[in-house]
Every structure is written in structure tokens, then in C-alpha cells.
Amino acid sequence: ACTEPAFVHAKGATFALLLDIVGACEAAGLIPAGSVPRYALSAWATVHGLADLLMSGAAHRMGLADGS
């Protein structure tokens, strides 16, 4: 894992933003109360998985991305 201070800060700030956005969804009644951590983790995992599939070329090999 990268321990570069700027990267660690950016990672924390980005996840905090995600928590804020999901929290706003909770406040608006769009997701159940008390579910912010679960929804944030699901969003993070989805984006992480998509990035991995695109970066590894797996999505392209499966015909799910154009490779660009």
C-alpha cells in the first residue's frame, strides 16, 4: 500500500466526500437511516472493481469495454 503522505491524505479526503454524499442521500430519505457505511462501502467496492477490470484489460477481453 502506498504510504506517501499526499496519497494518504487524498484517499482519506475522497472517502470522506463519499461518506458526505451518501449521508446526504440518507438525510433526503433516499436510503435507510443508519446505512451510510454499508452504502459507502458498496459504492467504493463497485468503483474499485470497475477500475480493476478496466485497468487489467479483463473488461475489454470480455467485450464489455472498447479498451480506450
Side-chain angles (χ1 to χ4, degrees), residues 1-67:
C2 182
T3 58
E4 177 67 33
F7 176 78
V8 172
H9 173 74
K11 182 172 67 170
T14 302
F15 194 72
L17 177 60
L18 176 60
L19 288 172
D20 288 346
I21 292 167
V22 177
C25 291
E26 179 187 57
L30 299 173
I31 63 173
S35 62
V36 170
R38 183 176 63 229
Y39 278 71
L41 177 60
S42 294
W44 180 35
T46 299
V47 171
H48 189 282
L50 176 60
D52 185 60
L53 290 170
L54 292 171
M55 290 174 53
S56 72
H60 177 69
R61 288 189 298 276
M62 295 172 65
L64 300 172
D66 64 9

